[in-house]
Amino acid sequence: MGNIGRRGLLGSAVAVAAAAATGALGTGKARAATTTARAATTTAPATTTTARATTATAPAGSAPVPAAAAGRHGGSVLWREFTAAPFTHPQIPFIGRAGYRAGSDLPRRTAHGFVADVRRYGARPDGSADAAPAINRAIAAAGERGGGTVLIPAGTYRIDDLIRIGHSDVVVRGAGSGRTTLHATRNLTELIGPYGSRYGGDKSSWSWAGGLIWLCPEGRWTALTDAIRAADWPFEGWTGNRRDEWRTLATVAPARRGDRTITVHDARGLRSGALVLLRLADDPAHTLLEHMAGDGAGPAAYRWDDKTKLTSYVPYEWPVRITAVRGREVTLERPLPLDVRPEWDPRLTTLVTPLTGSGVEGLTLEAVETPQSPHLLDKGYNGVAFQCAYDCWADDITVRHVDNGFGLIGASACTLRRTKVEGRGAHHPYYCREGSHDNLIEDFAIERRTVPAPAGTQLHGINVEGLSSYNVWSRGRMAMGTFDSHRGMPFANVRTDITVNNNGRHGGDASAGPLFGARFTHWNIRVTNGRAGLMRIDGLAPYSATAGISEVSEFDQIDVPDFTGDLHTRLEGYGRPESVRPRNLYEAQRHLAG
């Protein structure tokens, strides 16, 4: 996106990008809709809305536009509106720079730099001995040299411990998910110890944390696991176990969502290329939480004070890289996710030492097959976890027979590409929590479970919670699961171009507050079993968009909106999946951003 600012993509550039993204070059000029346009709220049950499938939702006060016509003339009504205001659209977030290095291709495979073959460190590819010590020695050797590649050639490697990637610029690379297998024999409870919940009860936090391949900076991992062993249940994000490991670099002047250049009061502590946190604290009236929900009468009337789990998630911490410092003006890698207002004490701060530029590629992690544990009592046969990681990735990774598949915990700007969860059935195949932002999960799959679900277990799906924002799930195939929100008011997330057999259930404590904040978007979603369950969200999520989704009906888990009054939601192409153009919202936004 370079130097594109909040106010602009030039009109001609918008028209060309919009038309190219929709395959209608020359006919895709952005038209008319203003950023304050609102559609009438749609809250009727799904079974009464079949007639809406023939029209695309238009701004309030205008005539409905036939969906077919919208497709002929440069894409959907919503898309044409978005191209006119890509950083400030009221229902659709700008996620065109999600993922590793703002959506860049993953690094090319190269032999340059330090290369360690795990066999030279004692690993055996026949599964006859524990290979974890050898693999971790090779990873440590690469880290000590400032980075490198750790090769795990084809074969099966038994691991009786977890694999830790704790240094930046270290890549662990197998021969391919069909050729290199790590066979994990133990769980995280055995390896580290029981992990209770900081919110009380008898829950196991291994139900949503940690991995048998765990990408987390060395110092942060040590502090976390020391606290777990001491039964001092920690916060898990960017500012330490007690959220106190930060210092102010600069205070920030007021700014608007979508700005990339901000003004600070003193830039002497800032430099181009540095990773910083934007820290926004809530005020006693909870206007920050209201803003995350879209502002207006509904959020203003909501009772926030008793949502103790939700309020524990603030301050909102958004990691971002600085791309330029000119006097007191600071340019960021991504547009601001929210307004910046003085009442929220906005600051750029330090963060714990992050993990950057590291990845895991080309292997299968298979846990020993055990029955799935009762709900929230997982032992920790978990797959791959990214924690306090930025610009990291997984590519061509399969996890099998796991409690939880792929986790993003206080992680941002990571890409998970060509990942798959299969085997006996997982609690959370994918989860995104504890303030994780700007991540991209693409070309992913959740396969049908190979054994029936034991009584007392639960299946979620692709989860997002805990004020996580601007994350994208794209080009997915889900043979089971659901679009899970565990409350904690995630906002501005996108799911696009996904086929789902919607047979999971969402979770979330009442103390975690709303299911959704503002600007949640489901775009071209094919629901194979016709079940609603957080698929169609125009009656639930404020300032949201549901576009090109199958006709769905409610089932036994029926949700009601958290906010009263007009939700300012949009519905287009209902009952006709794949009818909305562009087909993939993320890819179109990437094209638009350039």
Side-chain angles (χ1 to χ4, degrees), residues 5-39:
R6 138 175 211 276
R7 300 189 184 279
L9 294 169
L10 295 176
S12 58
V14 170
V16 171
T22 60
L25 188 60
T27 64
K29 293 183 179 179
R31 296 195 286 126
T34 67
T35 59
T36 58
R38 301 290 187 266

Side-chain angles (χ1 to χ4, degrees), residues 210-300:
L212 293 170
I213 299 176
W214 200 333
L215 292 89
C216 181
E218 188 77 19
R220 189 74 187 96
W221 188 87
T222 298
L224 281 165
T225 53
D226 284 351
I228 292 167
R229 291 185 176 102
D232 185 12
W233 315 130
F235 286 93
E236 300 159 273
W238 288 103
T239 50
N241 292 351
R242 300 185 183 278
R243 302 192 74 177
D244 58 359
E245 296 180 34
W246 59 276
R247 60 182 176 83
T248 299
L249 296 171
T251 56
V252 183
R256 297 295 302 276
R257 173 170 64 94
D259 287 348
R260 278 193 61 206
T261 298
I262 58 176
T263 300
V264 299
H265 293 97
D266 185 343
R268 286 177 294 180
L270 306 175
R271 61 178 178 80
S272 179
L275 188 64
V276 297
L277 276 184
L278 173 66
R279 185 180 192 271
L280 300 176
D282 205 4
D283 61 1
H286 298 298
T287 60
L288 176 61
L289 292 174
E290 290 180 15
H291 181 54
M292 292 173 179
D295 292 313

Side-chain angles (χ1 to χ4, degrees), residues 217 220 236-240 243 245-246 275 277 317-319 350-356 387-390 409-412 434-437:
R220 189 74 187 96
E236 300 159 273
W238 288 103
T239 50
R243 302 192 74 177
E245 296 180 34
W246 59 276
L275 188 64
L277 276 184
E317 296 172 337
W318 182 62
T350 60
L351 62 163
V352 298
T353 301
L355 184 74
T356 62
Q387 188 157 7
C388 298
Y390 192 96
I409 312 114
S412 292
E434 203 77 9
S436 291
H437 315 293

